[in-house]
Amino acid sequence: MKTPVDKTLTFSFISHKMKDVSLGWLARVTFPGGSDEGSVLPIEVVDGHGDRVGKAVLEIFGKSLPVMDGISRIKYADFVKGKHEKGVWLHRAGVEPVPGGLTFM
């Protein structure tokens, strides 16, 4: 698999609705044009206010990915391998893990 050279693709994942908006989150996995199985894909993670999540772990595609200053990364091959995994969670210190899922924006 390879993404079109002239297109950037983004998959967006959002938390389930939370009473405390700051506990919500949005994660965007970006496939730059021409990405292939050897590429490393950036993931941006923001909270319910749109601010970058400081330190966390994003559980997605069957992987537990560290988030630092709102940024994480995943290998394209790991994305493909885990694309059928349903669990998506954001883990932050001192806070119960918050589930989410794929959304269309």
Side-chain angles (χ1 to χ4, degrees):
M1 278 179 35
K2 186 175 183 178
T3 60
V5 175
D6 59 342
K7 288 191 178 190
T8 297
L9 304 175
T10 302
F11 284 78
S12 297
F13 297 84
I14 194 166
S15 65
H16 295 177
K17 190 171 183 174
M18 306 293 293
K19 285 184 180 182
D20 182 349
V21 174
S22 67
L23 296 178
W25 55 266
L26 172 67
R28 291 184 195 97
V29 182
T30 301
F31 292 73
S35 299
D36 60 21
E37 290 196 15
S39 301
V40 176
L41 309 173
I43 303 172
E44 179 185 29
V45 184
V46 297
D47 66 18
H49 295 294
D51 298 323
R52 287 186 169 198
V53 170
K55 185 176 180 182
V57 173
L58 180 63
E59 186 180 330
I60 193 167
F61 309 118
K63 298 280 185 188
S64 292
L65 306 172
V67 177
M68 294 297 292
D69 299 321
I71 301 294
S72 189
R73 296 184 180 354
I74 188 167
K75 294 177 184 174
Y76 190 117
D78 288 339
F79 172 89
V80 172
K81 184 177 176 183
K83 68 183 176 217
H84 296 295
E85 292 288 333
K86 294 185 176 152
V88 181
W89 295 81
L90 186 65
H91 303 265
R92 291 175 270 200
V95 178
E96 288 289 319
V98 178
L102 179 65
T103 188
F104 297 95
M105 301 179 94

